[in-house]
Amino acid sequence: MKLTRILVATSNKGKYNEIADIILGVLPGIEILSLSDLPKIPPPVENGKTFFDNALIKAKYYYSAYNIPLISEDSGLEVNALNGEPGVMSAIYAGENSTQEDLIRKLLKNMENKTDRSAKFVCLAVFMYGKDRYLFSEGIVRGKIAYEPRGQYGFGYDPVFIPEGYDKTFAELGSSVKNRISHRREAILGLLLGMRDLGCFL
Ligand code: ITT
């Protein structure tokens, strides 16, 4: 199955840009579609208990709607001092329609007085290429939660996440550094290796 185009099925523009950059770094010739290139449909209901459940819910939903080989992912932040929260609730930690500012405010409030700042971002990515035919791959990046937001790049919790080995946040480091070390990079590269083994890039 040779692949000439792929749909990156996410409604999150920040995720889309990162995934497209990571794929194009490895496969400069591939055509990447976004959901906005296709007829609009309502978002899927993400009621899974794990990143894997939700990634598969999204992949199946968009594949059955569009019938195009696609990548979906579910991701989030797990903070040790908060017993793994916000986890799968990362996007709606401060309620439905949470803004980036709401999410960060709530996280920093819950982290007041916490000395253990260790955390990780997790990304579970799925490549779906047929009904019930898929590959999946997980990526993580470890780091710590800053005491206040810093930086202007990225999205979500990037202004308060300092990856291991750095003293700046992802939002300060920008996408060239983030896309070299992130949870999303590891997950997407894992998928691309599996896709190569399937013969997608012959
Ligand atoms: P789709 O489901 O349409 O892909 P979404 O934003 O709703 O978009 P998720 O349900 O997977 O995606 O929520 C993931 C949330 O976790 C995301 O909205 C951010 O708040 C946070 N997150 C995940 N990866 C992140 C990253 O690289 N940097 C900052 N925050 C991240």
Side-chain angles (χ1 to χ4, degrees):
M1 181 200 45
K2 169 125 166 63
L3 209 67
T4 53
R5 60 176 195 163
I6 190 161
L7 168 64
V8 173
T10 174
S11 60
N12 180 320
K13 192 126 196 357
K15 277 190 189 181
Y16 176 85
N17 290 336
E18 290 182 10
I19 296 169
D21 263 16
I22 295 163
I23 296 175
L24 288 173
V26 182
L27 299 168
I30 200 163
E31 183 189 355
I32 300 181
L33 301 176
S34 75
L35 291 175
S36 56
D37 297 317
L38 297 163
K40 202 170 162 48
I41 56 171
V45 180
E46 293 180 40
N47 53 8
K49 288 196 178 62
T50 64
F51 294 119
F52 176 71
D53 291 345
N54 282 336
L56 200 54
I57 287 171
K58 288 183 253 199
K60 286 186 170 163
Y61 177 81
Y62 288 117
Y63 191 84
S64 70
Y66 298 126
N67 237 284
I68 298 173
L70 61 80
I71 289 177
S72 280
E73 60 99 298
D74 201 62
S75 49
L77 181 67
E78 293 188 342
V79 180
N80 286 330
L82 304 176
N83 302 313
E85 281 184 8
V88 291
M89 306 301 283
S90 289
I92 53 166
Y93 190 41
E96 295 286 341
N97 307 317
S98 299
T99 65
Q100 179 181 18
E101 290 71 30
D102 298 336
L103 295 173
I104 289 175
R105 202 176 310 113
K106 171 140 185 203
L107 177 68
L108 290 181
K109 174 126 197 38
N110 289 347
M111 288 299 284
E112 270 172 21
N113 311 317
K114 305 281 192 207
T115 50
D116 176 4
R117 313 290 297 183
S118 62
K120 62 177 188 274
F121 272 127
V122 181
C123 175
L124 197 305
V126 170
F127 168 59
M128 181 145 273
Y129 57 102
K131 192 173 173 301
D132 295 323
R133 286 185 169 269
Y134 64 87
L135 304 174
F136 66 93
S137 168
E138 187 180 57
I140 65 171
V141 58
R142 294 182 195 282
K144 61 185 184 202
I145 304 300
Y147 288 90
E148 72 282 296
R150 295 196 308 260
Q152 52 173 323
Y153 302 111
F155 67 97
Y157 300 91
D158 282 344
V160 290
F161 186 84
I162 302 171
E164 234 168 43
Y166 294 80
D167 53 16
K168 291 184 171 158
T169 67
F170 264 159
E172 292 177 300
L173 291 166
S175 64
S176 62
V177 174
K178 185 179 178 191
N179 288 343
R180 275 206 309 271
I181 62 171
S182 77
H183 52 317
R184 189 158 292 107
R185 160 122 185 153
E186 187 182 18
I188 299 296
L189 283 193
L191 279 188
L192 294 176
L193 288 176
M195 291 161 71
R196 183 192 62 187
D197 293 345
L198 280 176
C200 291
F201 314 128
L202 292 176

mmCIF file with all atom_site columns, all heavy atoms in Angstrom, residues 38-61:
data_model
loop_
_atom_site.group_PDB
_atom_site.id
_atom_site.type_symbol
_atom_site.label_atom_id
_atom_site.label_alt_id
_atom_site.label_comp_id
_atom_site.label_asym_id
_atom_site.label_entity_id
_atom_site.label_seq_id
_atom_site.pdbx_PDB_ins_code
_atom_site.Cartn_x
_atom_site.Cartn_y
_atom_site.Cartn_z
_atom_site.occupancy
_atom_site.B_iso_or_equiv
_atom_site.pdbx_formal_charge
_atom_site.auth_seq_id
_atom_site.auth_comp_id
_atom_site.auth_asym_id
_atom_site.auth_atom_id
_atom_site.pdbx_PDB_model_num
ATOM 1   N N   . LEU A 1 38 ? -11.599 19.082 4.342  1.00 0.00 ? 38 LEU A N   1
ATOM 2   C CA  . LEU A 1 38 ? -12.657 18.095 4.110  1.00 0.00 ? 38 LEU A CA  1
ATOM 3   C C   . LEU A 1 38 ? -13.998 18.637 4.601  1.00 0.00 ? 38 LEU A C   1
ATOM 4   O O   . LEU A 1 38 ? -14.027 19.566 5.416  1.00 0.00 ? 38 LEU A O   1
ATOM 5   C CB  . LEU A 1 38 ? -12.300 16.800 4.860  1.00 0.00 ? 38 LEU A CB  1
ATOM 6   C CG  . LEU A 1 38 ? -11.007 16.150 4.350  1.00 0.00 ? 38 LEU A CG  1
ATOM 7   C CD1 . LEU A 1 38 ? -10.460 15.145 5.350  1.00 0.00 ? 38 LEU A CD1 1
ATOM 8   C CD2 . LEU A 1 38 ? -11.253 15.482 3.006  1.00 0.00 ? 38 LEU A CD2 1
ATOM 9   N N   . PRO A 1 39 ? -15.102 18.043 4.133  1.00 0.00 ? 39 PRO A N   1
ATOM 10  C CA  . PRO A 1 39 ? -16.417 18.504 4.613  1.00 0.00 ? 39 PRO A CA  1
ATOM 11  C C   . PRO A 1 39 ? -16.482 18.428 6.140  1.00 0.00 ? 39 PRO A C   1
ATOM 12  O O   . PRO A 1 39 ? -16.029 17.443 6.731  1.00 0.00 ? 39 PRO A O   1
ATOM 13  C CB  . PRO A 1 39 ? -17.391 17.508 3.984  1.00 0.00 ? 39 PRO A CB  1
ATOM 14  C CG  . PRO A 1 39 ? -16.667 16.917 2.820  1.00 0.00 ? 39 PRO A CG  1
ATOM 15  C CD  . PRO A 1 39 ? -15.203 16.942 3.156  1.00 0.00 ? 39 PRO A CD  1
ATOM 16  N N   . LYS A 1 40 ? -17.014 19.469 6.741  1.00 0.00 ? 40 LYS A N   1
ATOM 17  C CA  . LYS A 1 40 ? -17.017 19.558 8.214  1.00 0.00 ? 40 LYS A CA  1
ATOM 18  C C   . LYS A 1 40 ? -18.016 18.577 8.823  1.00 0.00 ? 40 LYS A C   1
ATOM 19  O O   . LYS A 1 40 ? -19.126 18.432 8.336  1.00 0.00 ? 40 LYS A O   1
ATOM 20  C CB  . LYS A 1 40 ? -17.388 20.989 8.607  1.00 0.00 ? 40 LYS A CB  1
ATOM 21  C CG  . LYS A 1 40 ? -16.938 21.358 9.999  1.00 0.00 ? 40 LYS A CG  1
ATOM 22  C CD  . LYS A 1 40 ? -17.111 22.864 10.241 1.00 0.00 ? 40 LYS A CD  1
ATOM 23  C CE  . LYS A 1 40 ? -17.097 23.229 11.707 1.00 0.00 ? 40 LYS A CE  1
ATOM 24  N NZ  . LYS A 1 40 ? -16.022 22.648 12.498 1.00 0.00 ? 40 LYS A NZ  1
ATOM 25  N N   . ILE A 1 41 ? -17.591 17.889 9.872  1.00 0.00 ? 41 ILE A N   1
ATOM 26  C CA  . ILE A 1 41 ? -18.491 17.014 10.628 1.00 0.00 ? 41 ILE A CA  1
ATOM 27  C C   . ILE A 1 41 ? -18.304 17.325 12.110 1.00 0.00 ? 41 ILE A C   1
ATOM 28  O O   . ILE A 1 41 ? -17.295 17.914 12.488 1.00 0.00 ? 41 ILE A O   1
ATOM 29  C CB  . ILE A 1 41 ? -18.206 15.502 10.372 1.00 0.00 ? 41 ILE A CB  1
ATOM 30  C CG1 . ILE A 1 41 ? -16.733 15.156 10.685 1.00 0.00 ? 41 ILE A CG1 1
ATOM 31  C CG2 . ILE A 1 41 ? -18.553 15.117 8.945  1.00 0.00 ? 41 ILE A CG2 1
ATOM 32  C CD1 . ILE A 1 41 ? -16.448 13.659 10.655 1.00 0.00 ? 41 ILE A CD1 1
ATOM 33  N N   . PRO A 1 42 ? -19.291 16.949 12.956 1.00 0.00 ? 42 PRO A N   1
ATOM 34  C CA  . PRO A 1 42 ? -19.131 17.229 14.393 1.00 0.00 ? 42 PRO A CA  1
ATOM 35  C C   . PRO A 1 42 ? -17.944 16.456 14.968 1.00 0.00 ? 42 PRO A C   1
ATOM 36  O O   . PRO A 1 42 ? -17.563 15.415 14.410 1.00 0.00 ? 42 PRO A O   1
ATOM 37  C CB  . PRO A 1 42 ? -20.436 16.727 15.029 1.00 0.00 ? 42 PRO A CB  1
ATOM 38  C CG  . PRO A 1 42 ? -21.276 16.199 13.939 1.00 0.00 ? 42 PRO A CG  1
ATOM 39  C CD  . PRO A 1 42 ? -20.534 16.262 12.636 1.00 0.00 ? 42 PRO A CD  1
ATOM 40  N N   . PRO A 1 43 ? -17.351 16.919 16.068 1.00 0.00 ? 43 PRO A N   1
ATOM 41  C CA  . PRO A 1 43 ? -16.218 16.174 16.654 1.00 0.00 ? 43 PRO A CA  1
ATOM 42  C C   . PRO A 1 43 ? -16.690 14.861 17.284 1.00 0.00 ? 43 PRO A C   1
ATOM 43  O O   . PRO A 1 43 ? -17.859 14.747 17.656 1.00 0.00 ? 43 PRO A O   1
ATOM 44  C CB  . PRO A 1 43 ? -15.684 17.126 17.728 1.00 0.00 ? 43 PRO A CB  1
ATOM 45  C CG  . PRO A 1 43 ? -16.815 18.030 18.050 1.00 0.00 ? 43 PRO A CG  1
ATOM 46  C CD  . PRO A 1 43 ? -17.690 18.117 16.835 1.00 0.00 ? 43 PRO A CD  1
ATOM 47  N N   . PRO A 1 44 ? -15.803 13.868 17.394 1.00 0.00 ? 44 PRO A N   1
ATOM 48  C CA  . PRO A 1 44 ? -16.188 12.620 18.055 1.00 0.00 ? 44 PRO A CA  1
ATOM 49  C C   . PRO A 1 44 ? -16.336 12.817 19.566 1.00 0.00 ? 44 PRO A C   1
ATOM 50  O O   . PRO A 1 44 ? -15.799 13.782 20.110 1.00 0.00 ? 44 PRO A O   1
ATOM 51  C CB  . PRO A 1 44 ? -15.009 11.691 17.761 1.00 0.00 ? 44 PRO A CB  1
ATOM 52  C CG  . PRO A 1 44 ? -13.851 12.598 17.535 1.00 0.00 ? 44 PRO A CG  1
ATOM 53  C CD  . PRO A 1 44 ? -14.396 13.860 16.953 1.00 0.00 ? 44 PRO A CD  1
ATOM 54  N N   . VAL A 1 45 ? -17.054 11.904 20.211 1.00 0.00 ? 45 VAL A N   1
ATOM 55  C CA  . VAL A 1 45 ? -17.175 11.944 21.674 1.00 0.00 ? 45 VAL A CA  1
ATOM 56  C C   . VAL A 1 45 ? -15.999 11.169 22.254 1.00 0.00 ? 45 VAL A C   1
ATOM 57  O O   . VAL A 1 45 ? -15.884 9.959  22.062 1.00 0.00 ? 45 VAL A O   1
ATOM 58  C CB  . VAL A 1 45 ? -18.508 11.306 22.126 1.00 0.00 ? 45 VAL A CB  1
ATOM 59  C CG1 . VAL A 1 45 ? -18.627 11.360 23.644 1.00 0.00 ? 45 VAL A CG1 1
ATOM 60  C CG2 . VAL A 1 45 ? -19.678 11.995 21.451 1.00 0.00 ? 45 VAL A CG2 1
ATOM 61  N N   . GLU A 1 46 ? -15.117 11.869 22.950 1.00 0.00 ? 46 GLU A N   1
ATOM 62  C CA  . GLU A 1 46 ? -13.903 11.235 23.503 1.00 0.00 ? 46 GLU A CA  1
ATOM 63  C C   . GLU A 1 46 ? -14.178 10.779 24.926 1.00 0.00 ? 46 GLU A C   1
ATOM 64  O O   . GLU A 1 46 ? -13.840 11.453 25.877 1.00 0.00 ? 46 GLU A O   1
ATOM 65  C CB  . GLU A 1 46 ? -12.740 12.233 23.498 1.00 0.00 ? 46 GLU A CB  1
ATOM 66  C CG  . GLU A 1 46 ? -12.276 12.600 22.114 1.00 0.00 ? 46 GLU A CG  1
ATOM 67  C CD  . GLU A 1 46 ? -11.123 13.592 22.137 1.00 0.00 ? 46 GLU A CD  1
ATOM 68  O OE1 . GLU A 1 46 ? -10.224 13.463 23.000 1.00 0.00 ? 46 GLU A OE1 1
ATOM 69  O OE2 . GLU A 1 46 ? -11.134 14.510 21.298 1.00 0.00 ? 46 GLU A OE2 1
ATOM 70  N N   . ASN A 1 47 ? -14.827 9.611  25.039 1.00 0.00 ? 47 ASN A N   1
ATOM 71  C CA  . ASN A 1 47 ? -15.193 9.164  26.389 1.00 0.00 ? 47 ASN A CA  1
ATOM 72  C C   . ASN A 1 47 ? -14.364 7.969  26.857 1.00 0.00 ? 47 ASN A C   1
ATOM 73  O O   . ASN A 1 47 ? -14.768 7.233  27.739 1.00 0.00 ? 47 ASN A O   1
ATOM 74  C CB  . ASN A 1 47 ? -16.687 8.853  26.455 1.00 0.00 ? 47 ASN A CB  1
ATOM 75  C CG  . ASN A 1 47 ? -17.093 7.870  25.361 1.00 0.00 ? 47 ASN A CG  1
ATOM 76  O OD1 . ASN A 1 47 ? -16.222 7.336  24.675 1.00 0.00 ? 47 ASN A OD1 1
ATOM 77  N ND2 . ASN A 1 47 ? -18.376 7.628  25.215 1.00 0.00 ? 47 ASN A ND2 1
ATOM 78  N N   . GLY A 1 48 ? -13.179 7.790  26.265 1.00 0.00 ? 48 GLY A N   1
ATOM 79  C CA  . GLY A 1 48 ? -12.303 6.696  26.688 1.00 0.00 ? 48 GLY A CA  1
ATOM 80  C C   . GLY A 1 48 ? -11.640 6.991  28.030 1.00 0.00 ? 48 GLY A C   1
ATOM 81  O O   . GLY A 1 48 ? -11.618 8.134  28.480 1.00 0.00 ? 48 GLY A O   1
ATOM 82  N N   . LYS A 1 49 ? -11.105 5.933  28.643 1.00 0.00 ? 49 LYS A N   1
ATOM 83  C CA  . LYS A 1 49 ? -10.434 6.097  29.942 1.00 0.00 ? 49 LYS A CA  1
ATOM 84  C C   . LYS A 1 49 ? -8.933  6.294  29.789 1.00 0.00 ? 49 LYS A C   1
ATOM 85  O O   . LYS A 1 49 ? -8.254  6.681  30.732 1.00 0.00 ? 49 LYS A O   1
ATOM 86  C CB  . LYS A 1 49 ? -10.659 4.855  30.807 1.00 0.00 ? 49 LYS A CB  1
ATOM 87  C CG  . LYS A 1 49 ? -12.066 4.721  31.334 1.00 0.00 ? 49 LYS A CG  1
ATOM 88  C CD  . LYS A 1 49 ? -12.089 3.693  32.481 1.00 0.00 ? 49 LYS A CD  1
ATOM 89  C CE  . LYS A 1 49 ? -13.463 3.555  33.089 1.00 0.00 ? 49 LYS A CE  1
ATOM 90  N NZ  . LYS A 1 49 ? -14.462 3.073  32.097 1.00 0.00 ? 49 LYS A NZ  1
ATOM 91  N N   . THR A 1 50 ? -8.416  5.975  28.608 1.00 0.00 ? 50 THR A N   1
ATOM 92  C CA  . THR A 1 50 ? -6.969  6.066  28.406 1.00 0.00 ? 50 THR A CA  1
ATOM 93  C C   . THR A 1 50 ? -6.672  6.866  27.130 1.00 0.00 ? 50 THR A C   1
ATOM 94  O O   . THR A 1 50 ? -7.548  7.050  26.279 1.00 0.00 ? 50 THR A O   1
ATOM 95  C CB  . THR A 1 50 ? -6.344  4.661  28.234 1.00 0.00 ? 50 THR A CB  1
ATOM 96  O OG1 . THR A 1 50 ? -6.888  4.073  27.033 1.00 0.00 ? 50 THR A OG1 1
ATOM 97  C CG2 . THR A 1 50 ? -6.649  3.754  29.412 1.00 0.00 ? 50 THR A CG2 1
ATOM 98  N N   . PHE A 1 51 ? -5.403  7.282  27.007 1.00 0.00 ? 51 PHE A N   1
ATOM 99  C CA  . PHE A 1 51 ? -4.993  7.969  25.781 1.00 0.00 ? 51 PHE A CA  1
ATOM 100 C C   . PHE A 1 51 ? -5.223  7.051  24.576 1.00 0.00 ? 51 PHE A C   1
ATOM 101 O O   . PHE A 1 51 ? -5.660  7.499  23.516 1.00 0.00 ? 51 PHE A O   1
ATOM 102 C CB  . PHE A 1 51 ? -3.509  8.354  25.851 1.00 0.00 ? 51 PHE A CB  1
ATOM 103 C CG  . PHE A 1 51 ? -3.194  9.392  26.898 1.00 0.00 ? 51 PHE A CG  1
ATOM 104 C CD1 . PHE A 1 51 ? -2.329  9.112  27.957 1.00 0.00 ? 51 PHE A CD1 1
ATOM 105 C CD2 . PHE A 1 51 ? -3.740  10.663 26.818 1.00 0.00 ? 51 PHE A CD2 1
ATOM 106 C CE1 . PHE A 1 51 ? -2.019  10.075 28.904 1.00 0.00 ? 51 PHE A CE1 1
ATOM 107 C CE2 . PHE A 1 51 ? -3.441  11.638 27.772 1.00 0.00 ? 51 PHE A CE2 1
ATOM 108 C CZ  . PHE A 1 51 ? -2.578  11.337 28.813 1.00 0.00 ? 51 PHE A CZ  1
ATOM 109 N N   . PHE A 1 52 ? -4.917  5.770  24.752 1.00 0.00 ? 52 PHE A N   1
ATOM 110 C CA  . PHE A 1 52 ? -5.107  4.827  23.642 1.00 0.00 ? 52 PHE A CA  1
ATOM 111 C C   . PHE A 1 52 ? -6.578  4.750  23.229 1.00 0.00 ? 52 PHE A C   1
ATOM 112 O O   . PHE A 1 52 ? -6.907  4.840  22.036 1.00 0.00 ? 52 PHE A O   1
ATOM 113 C CB  . PHE A 1 52 ? -4.578  3.442  24.038 1.00 0.00 ? 52 PHE A CB  1
ATOM 114 C CG  . PHE A 1 52 ? -4.827  2.408  22.983 1.00 0.00 ? 52 PHE A CG  1
ATOM 115 C CD1 . PHE A 1 52 ? -4.117  2.424  21.785 1.00 0.00 ? 52 PHE A CD1 1
ATOM 116 C CD2 . PHE A 1 52 ? -5.788  1.429  23.162 1.00 0.00 ? 52 PHE A CD2 1
ATOM 117 C CE1 . PHE A 1 52 ? -4.364  1.479  20.794 1.00 0.00 ? 52 PHE A CE1 1
ATOM 118 C CE2 . PHE A 1 52 ? -6.032  0.481  22.180 1.00 0.00 ? 52 PHE A CE2 1
ATOM 119 C CZ  . PHE A 1 52 ? -5.323  0.507  20.996 1.00 0.00 ? 52 PHE A CZ  1
ATOM 120 N N   . ASP A 1 53 ? -7.481  4.586  24.212 1.00 0.00 ? 53 ASP A N   1
ATOM 121 C CA  . ASP A 1 53 ? -8.924  4.520  23.897 1.00 0.00 ? 53 ASP A CA  1
ATOM 122 C C   . ASP A 1 53 ? -9.335  5.728  23.057 1.00 0.00 ? 53 ASP A C   1
ATOM 123 O O   . ASP A 1 53 ? -10.002 5.603  22.028 1.00 0.00 ? 53 ASP A O   1
ATOM 124 C CB  . ASP A 1 53 ? -9.784  4.581  25.165 1.00 0.00 ? 53 ASP A CB  1
ATOM 125 C CG  . ASP A 1 53 ? -9.673  3.345  26.028 1.00 0.00 ? 53 ASP A CG  1
ATOM 126 O OD1 . ASP A 1 53 ? -9.164  2.327  25.543 1.00 0.00 ? 53 ASP A OD1 1
ATOM 127 O OD2 . ASP A 1 53 ? -10.097 3.422  27.212 1.00 0.00 ? 53 ASP A OD2 1
ATOM 128 N N   . ASN A 1 54 ? -8.954  6.901  23.532 1.00 0.00 ? 54 ASN A N   1
ATOM 129 C CA  . ASN A 1 54 ? -9.409  8.127  22.854 1.00 0.00 ? 54 ASN A CA  1
ATOM 130 C C   . ASN A 1 54 ? -8.765  8.291  21.480 1.00 0.00 ? 54 ASN A C   1
ATOM 131 O O   . ASN A 1 54 ? -9.418  8.747  20.540 1.00 0.00 ? 54 ASN A O   1
ATOM 132 C CB  . ASN A 1 54 ? -9.132  9.357  23.721 1.00 0.00 ? 54 ASN A CB  1
ATOM 133 C CG  . ASN A 1 54 ? -10.160 9.492  24.837 1.00 0.00 ? 54 ASN A CG  1
ATOM 134 O OD1 . ASN A 1 54 ? -11.276 8.984  24.725 1.00 0.00 ? 54 ASN A OD1 1
ATOM 135 N ND2 . ASN A 1 54 ? -9.786  10.170 25.905 1.00 0.00 ? 54 ASN A ND2 1
ATOM 136 N N   . ALA A 1 55 ? -7.505  7.904  21.363 1.00 0.00 ? 55 ALA A N   1
ATOM 137 C CA  . ALA A 1 55 ? -6.849  8.015  20.052 1.00 0.00 ? 55 ALA A CA  1
ATOM 138 C C   . ALA A 1 55 ? -7.564  7.111  19.042 1.00 0.00 ? 55 ALA A C   1
ATOM 139 O O   . ALA A 1 55 ? -7.798  7.500  17.894 1.00 0.00 ? 55 ALA A O   1
ATOM 140 C CB  . ALA A 1 55 ? -5.372  7.647  20.164 1.00 0.00 ? 55 ALA A CB  1
ATOM 141 N N   . LEU A 1 56 ? -7.929  5.905  19.501 1.00 0.00 ? 56 LEU A N   1
ATOM 142 C CA  . LEU A 1 56 ? -8.605  4.961  18.602 1.00 0.00 ? 56 LEU A CA  1
ATOM 143 C C   . LEU A 1 56 ? -10.026 5.430  18.279 1.00 0.00 ? 56 LEU A C   1
ATOM 144 O O   . LEU A 1 56 ? -10.487 5.286  17.134 1.00 0.00 ? 56 LEU A O   1
ATOM 145 C CB  . LEU A 1 56 ? -8.613  3.565  19.248 1.00 0.00 ? 56 LEU A CB  1
ATOM 146 C CG  . LEU A 1 56 ? -8.828  2.385  18.324 1.00 0.00 ? 56 LEU A CG  1
ATOM 147 C CD1 . LEU A 1 56 ? -7.821  2.381  17.166 1.00 0.00 ? 56 LEU A CD1 1
ATOM 148 C CD2 . LEU A 1 56 ? -8.733  1.082  19.106 1.00 0.00 ? 56 LEU A CD2 1
ATOM 149 N N   . ILE A 1 57 ? -10.714 6.007  19.256 1.00 0.00 ? 57 ILE A N   1
ATOM 150 C CA  . ILE A 1 57 ? -12.061 6.562  18.998 1.00 0.00 ? 57 ILE A CA  1
ATOM 151 C C   . ILE A 1 57 ? -11.974 7.598  17.877 1.00 0.00 ? 57 ILE A C   1
ATOM 152 O O   . ILE A 1 57 ? -12.742 7.590  16.914 1.00 0.00 ? 57 ILE A O   1
ATOM 153 C CB  . ILE A 1 57 ? -12.648 7.205  20.281 1.00 0.00 ? 57 ILE A CB  1
ATOM 154 C CG1 . ILE A 1 57 ? -13.067 6.115  21.272 1.00 0.00 ? 57 ILE A CG1 1
ATOM 155 C CG2 . ILE A 1 57 ? -13.823 8.134  19.950 1.00 0.00 ? 57 ILE A CG2 1
ATOM 156 C CD1 . ILE A 1 57 ? -13.454 6.630  22.667 1.00 0.00 ? 57 ILE A CD1 1
ATOM 157 N N   . LYS A 1 58 ? -10.982 8.484  17.973 1.00 0.00 ? 58 LYS A N   1
ATOM 158 C CA  . LYS A 1 58 ? -10.854 9.542  16.959 1.00 0.00 ? 58 LYS A CA  1
ATOM 159 C C   . LYS A 1 58 ? -10.491 8.945  15.601 1.00 0.00 ? 58 LYS A C   1
ATOM 160 O O   . LYS A 1 58 ? -11.050 9.316  14.570 1.00 0.00 ? 58 LYS A O   1
ATOM 161 C CB  . LYS A 1 58 ? -9.782  10.563 17.384 1.00 0.00 ? 58 LYS A CB  1
ATOM 162 C CG  . LYS A 1 58 ? -10.234 11.437 18.543 1.00 0.00 ? 58 LYS A CG  1
ATOM 163 C CD  . LYS A 1 58 ? -9.191  12.496 18.896 1.00 0.00 ? 58 LYS A CD  1
ATOM 164 C CE  . LYS A 1 58 ? -8.486  12.189 20.181 1.00 0.00 ? 58 LYS A CE  1
ATOM 165 N NZ  . LYS A 1 58 ? -7.807  13.340 20.800 1.00 0.00 ? 58 LYS A NZ  1
ATOM 166 N N   . ALA A 1 59 ? -9.536  8.020  15.604 1.00 0.00 ? 59 ALA A N   1
ATOM 167 C CA  . ALA A 1 59 ? -9.083  7.440  14.329 1.00 0.00 ? 59 ALA A CA  1
ATOM 168 C C   . ALA A 1 59 ? -10.235 6.724  13.627 1.00 0.00 ? 59 ALA A C   1
ATOM 169 O O   . ALA A 1 59 ? -10.457 6.914  12.425 1.00 0.00 ? 59 ALA A O   1
ATOM 170 C CB  . ALA A 1 59 ? -7.920  6.486  14.581 1.00 0.00 ? 59 ALA A CB  1
ATOM 171 N N   . LYS A 1 60 ? -10.987 5.916  14.361 1.00 0.00 ? 60 LYS A N   1
ATOM 172 C CA  . LYS A 1 60 ? -12.101 5.166  13.752 1.00 0.00 ? 60 LYS A CA  1
ATOM 173 C C   . LYS A 1 60 ? -13.180 6.114  13.246 1.00 0.00 ? 60 LYS A C   1
ATOM 174 O O   . LYS A 1 60 ? -13.734 5.923  12.166 1.00 0.00 ? 60 LYS A O   1
ATOM 175 C CB  . LYS A 1 60 ? -12.715 4.202  14.777 1.00 0.00 ? 60 LYS A CB  1
ATOM 176 C CG  . LYS A 1 60 ? -11.842 2.997  15.031 1.00 0.00 ? 60 LYS A CG  1
ATOM 177 C CD  . LYS A 1 60 ? -12.542 1.998  15.932 1.00 0.00 ? 60 LYS A CD  1
ATOM 178 C CE  . LYS A 1 60 ? -11.751 0.699  15.973 1.00 0.00 ? 60 LYS A CE  1
ATOM 179 N NZ  . LYS A 1 60 ? -12.139 -0.155 17.092 1.00 0.00 ? 60 LYS A NZ  1
ATOM 180 N N   . TYR A 1 61 ? -13.456 7.118  14.050 1.00 0.00 ? 61 TYR A N   1
ATOM 181 C CA  . TYR A 1 61 ? -14.509 8.078  13.694 1.00 0.00 ? 61 TYR A CA  1
ATOM 182 C C   . TYR A 1 61 ? -14.162 8.789  12.388 1.00 0.00 ? 61 TYR A C   1
ATOM 183 O O   . TYR A 1 61 ? -14.968 8.835  11.453 1.00 0.00 ? 61 TYR A O   1
ATOM 184 C CB  . TYR A 1 61 ? -14.656 9.082  14.837 1.00 0.00 ? 61 TYR A CB  1
ATOM 185 C CG  . TYR A 1 61 ? -15.670 10.176 14.586 1.00 0.00 ? 61 TYR A CG  1
ATOM 186 C CD1 . TYR A 1 61 ? -17.027 9.952  14.774 1.00 0.00 ? 61 TYR A CD1 1
ATOM 187 C CD2 . TYR A 1 61 ? -15.259 11.446 14.175 1.00 0.00 ? 61 TYR A CD2 1
ATOM 188 C CE1 . TYR A 1 61 ? -17.956 10.961 14.559 1.00 0.00 ? 61 TYR A CE1 1
ATOM 189 C CE2 . TYR A 1 61 ? -16.176 12.460 13.958 1.00 0.00 ? 61 TYR A CE2 1
ATOM 190 C CZ  . TYR A 1 61 ? -17.517 12.208 14.154 1.00 0.00 ? 61 TYR A CZ  1
ATOM 191 O OH  . TYR A 1 61 ? -18.434 13.210 13.948 1.00 0.00 ? 61 TYR A OH  1
#
